[in-house]
Every structure is written in C-alpha cells, then in structure tokens.
Amino acid sequence: MNRRTVITGIGHFTPPRVVTNFDLEKVMDTSDEWIRQRSGIVERHHVDPGVGSAELAYEAAVRAISDAGIEPGDIDFIIAATLSPDHYFPGNGVIVQARLGLETVGALDVRNQCSGFIYALSVGDQYIRAGAYKKILLVASEVQSTNLDYSDDGRDMSVLFGDGGGAVILEPNESGDGRGILSTHLFSDGRFVSDLWMEKPSCKDKPTFRESFIAEKKFFAHMDGKNVFKNACQRMPEAVMAGLEHNGLSVDDIDFLIPHQANDRISQMVARGLKIPVEKVIRNIERYGNTTSASIPIALDEAVKDGRIRRGHLIALTAFGSGYTWASAFIRW
Ligand code: UT7
C-alpha cells in the first residue's frame, strides 16, 4: 500500500499570561538562577481561572484547521491527548467536538502523559493508512498550573510545568511522493508508575476523595526527578535508534529532532547520546516550560512556521514521561 499519513495543518495556542521565574521567586523558595541552570526554563504560560485544557485544544484546533485549508465540518475523527482533562470523565475529545460544532464525529481520548502526542499520532496514523478516516484532528493540550504545589514542598515540580495546546490535521497522501509519517515506535515500563504520578484521586479508595489525601498532598503530582531524568536520557535515544533501524536510516539523515521539552539538559543529553549536533534539535522550553503532551506539537509548529522545517526534511520526534511511557515518530515533511 502506497498510502502515508501526512500532517496537512498544524497550530498551537498558549494562554496569554506569562509567569517568569522571578514571579515564582515571590511565592516560594526558588531562584531564577536555579530554574535556568537546572532546567533551561525562563518563563511559562498559565491560564486564567476557568480556562481548561479543552479550551486550549480548541484554540489550537482552530489554527490547525485554518492552516490545513479545511472547514471544521470536514473532520471525520478526533483524538485528544491530555493528562489534565477538564473533567475526570468524560475526556476532552467530546468537549472539543462540541466546541467545533461537529455533531456525531467520534472522539477518542489518549492518556499517555508526555508521550501522549506521539501515542495519539500513532493511533491516527493507523486509521488513516487503513482508510478508516480521511481528516483526523489530533489535539494535545494541558493545564498544569491549576494543580501544582506552589509551596516550598512542591518547588521541584511547580517551576517546571506550563500550560498550552497543539493540534495537527492528519490526512492520507497517496501521491507516492514519500511525504508523511514513516513509522511510530511506542514503549512503556509500568514498574515505574510511582516515579511520576498523581496518586489520588484513585477509584480504588472508598471514598475516593478524603480530607487526609489533601493534608498529605496526594492530589499533587510527585516525581522522582533524578530517576526520571536518567531514564529520559536513556530511553529517548533508544526510541530514536529503533526508528532509524526500522527505516534503514542513519542519524545523519535526520534534519531535525524534536524531543519532548521536559528539561533543556535532557534535550542536550539526548542530542549528545545520539551524536546529533545540537543545532538540529528544536528547543523552546525556555519560553514554555514543560507542557507535557503539548510540547512536541508546539515546538513542531514553531519550527515549521519560522521556516526551519521545510518540505522534504526528515523529522524525528521523541518523548518520555510518566508511566514510564516513551516513543518516537519519523516524518518526511
Ligand atoms: O516531562 C517528563 C518528565 N519530567 C522530566 O523529565 C524531569 C526530570 N527531572 C529533572 O528535570 C530534574 O531532576 C529536576 C529539574 C526536577 C531537578 O534537577 P536536579 O539537578 O536533579 O536537582 P535535585 O533534585 O538534585 O535537587 C537539587 C537541590 C535540592 O536541594 P538539596 O537537597 O541539594 O539541598 C532540592 O531541594 O535543589 C533543590 N531544589 C530547588 N531549589 C530551588 C529543588 N527544586 C528547587 C527549586 N528551586 N525549584
């Protein structure tokens, strides 16, 4: 079969409110110097009260739809990735669907945290190549700022994360010109669930919501930063190598690598591990922090719109995060 999945439109949206490291210095025991040195982050965006990740997804979707030159009514399937949905259930997919005025189009929710965009891309790619759908909207968005611990206890996490959304339109390419998704590679290791998680609420507990969980701060995300860091630096290069091998390509064939923006030191270590010049690595964490599932589509959109990524380029995406889950995708742009 000669059909490939091509990204025909892309967009992103971040809420207008910018929170700098200096702003965070005012509320907790941290410093601009520490945050920059340890993560490369200078500022991030936070939503105003009442704005959820489905709204950020909607805004990104509108931009991607316009970029693809299609109408919302042309979309025949939606995939929504997030770890910070508007509601415990239902997921964001149906909320985006209703916001776009799409009556009965199917909406699938993906929960794979920082790897969510690549996992969702992989699902969309299978549907398009199988001929099941012709215009899939994939949104990946997060609102982290509403549930971070801004006391000194939570400073290792709260300085890292930001809010934002990205979206792509996936369509079949049957022209035989080779453009599109070459392959996706998905991995996980559930032994490390508690290395990066939000433990509560849990449906294992009766009652699910307890005062004691609030007192113990179980409703905040917790991370074993060092372990996550170490595994991220190892797993992302492995995932990229798996994709190169699968496609019979070498590291030199990659025009741009877009790693999930978790920490600029991780992105640089991944580049070093793969022996890819750092100029070929798209890095924007400085301005957004870690936007989890949204980080790759935001970085991709910026690099496409500013002309760095051009038609014919080979793009490698890779992500690592909570689960652990990790992944890579290869796209001939
Ligand atoms: O999205 C996917 C998942 N996320 C990641 O991939 C993130 C992975 N981990 C990391 O990026 C890094 O581990 C961090 C940025 C979270 C931490 O960097 P680190 O170099 O591993 O620092 P550390 O945890 O060893 O902390 C060093 C010190 C500690 O103080 P002591 O014990 O040495 O006195 C921390 O208490 O820095 C302290 N610290 C802070 N100081 C100022 C932790 N957070 C902060 C803070 N401001 N915000």
Side-chain angles (χ1 to χ4, degrees), residues 29-31 34-35 38-39 114 155-156 159-161 196 223 225-226 228-229 232 260 262-263 265-266 290 320-321:
D29 181 16
T30 191
S31 66
W34 190 96
I35 301 169
R38 301 292 176 125
S39 71
C114 301
R155 64 183 183 167
D156 60 325
V159 302
L160 297 180
F161 291 91
L196 176 48
M223 173 169 73
K226 283 199 190 312
V228 174
F229 192 103
H260 162 52
N263 182 323
R265 282 158 56 215
I266 296 178
N290 179 346
F320 178 88

Side-chain angles (χ1 to χ4, degrees), residues 309-330:
I309 292 180
R310 295 190 302 276
R311 192 173 266 239
H313 277 163
L314 180 71
I315 311 304
L317 314 179
T318 187
F320 178 88
S322 162
Y324 296 144
T325 64
W326 64 101
S328 68
F330 286 75

